[in-house]
Amino acid sequence: MTAASGPDPDPVDALLSAWRTELPDVLRPTTELSKRITRLAGALDAATRGVLPELGLTVAEFDILVALRRSGEPYRMRPNELVSTLLLSSGGISNVVNHLAGRGLVLREPSPDDGRSTMIRLTREGVCTAERAVRAHADAHEAVFAEASHAAVRAAARALREVGVDRGPAPRPLRTGRNPSRS
């Protein structure tokens, strides 16, 4: 920011201003909130994607490692549990698990309850990698919020809880072929 140019324009304010001029009836009470959430989600996703290459991980590998680490000792889950937790296909999970197993981060082992099923378990190195990844992810997200006060972050979290963002599956988006964050 320079003295001559003033503060950087807020892109959401600019978008709303344009719609107020061009088509004011499309603005709803939720319009600003949804645009800000979309931009925030993009910034958080970019922050995560920015730290994963340093750890040699893809997003899918990160998701599987942290799901296993989050499950608690002995850090193992059935493949179908990973599928439902991560919303990935069973084939996708299998491919990523194969890659992680090849790197020595996970093992496939028989289920202790049913010898016909397998479990995916973190190795010692997998636990260490998952923990490094979770810490890097948390640090990257903290950096996204660096200019916000802790009180503002807590208030935003409470407000999002109140509006029901986490109360079940989101409605299916309309397929328009356009990026909704830019409309």
Side-chain angles (χ1 to χ4, degrees):
M1 173 172 92
T2 65
S5 67
D8 290 334
D10 181 298
V12 174
D13 287 345
L15 180 134
L16 295 173
S17 177
W19 281 122
R20 273 187 209 95
T21 301
E22 296 298 320
L23 204 55
D25 64 307
V26 302
L27 297 176
R28 306 286 196 283
T30 56
T31 302
E32 180 179 4
L33 177 62
S34 63
K35 296 304 176 194
R36 292 195 185 283
I37 289 171
T38 299
R39 290 184 56 81
L40 177 58
L44 293 169
D45 182 59
T48 297
R49 290 176 184 277
V51 298
L52 294 180
E54 299 166 14
L55 299 163
L57 297 173
T58 66
V59 172
E61 291 168 340
F62 169 79
D63 288 343
I64 289 173
L65 290 176
V66 299
L68 291 167
R69 176 60 183 87
R70 183 174 59 238
S71 72
E73 284 194 69
Y75 310 122
R76 68 180 176 207
M77 296 174 77
R78 289 180 169 74
N80 64 337
E81 292 173 315
L82 285 168
V83 167
S84 65
T85 299
L86 301 177
L87 304 174
L88 295 172
S89 70
S90 58
I93 293 279
S94 183
N95 288 337
V96 176
V97 166
N98 287 342
H99 191 254
L100 292 170
R103 292 177 52 197
L105 300 175
V106 300
L107 293 173
R108 282 191 169 88
E109 58 187 23
S111 169
D113 304 326
D114 176 6
R116 296 172 296 162
S117 329
T118 60
M119 303 287 287
I120 310 302
R121 181 178 57 81
L122 287 176
T123 63
R124 187 178 315 255
E125 183 179 348
V127 170
C128 292
T129 300
E131 290 174 1
R132 280 194 312 274
V134 169
R135 285 184 173 87
H137 173 263
D139 290 345
H141 283 199
E142 187 77 15
V144 169
F145 295 106
E147 294 185 26
S149 70
H150 290 295
V153 171
R154 285 190 298 274
R158 279 192 307 274
L160 289 173
R161 185 179 299 113
E162 187 176 316
V163 298
V165 171
D166 295 324
R167 290 191 187 145
R172 295 182 65 177
L174 298 174
R175 299 280 183 222
T176 64
R178 297 189 53 187
N179 181 341
S181 67
R182 295 193 180 156
S183 54

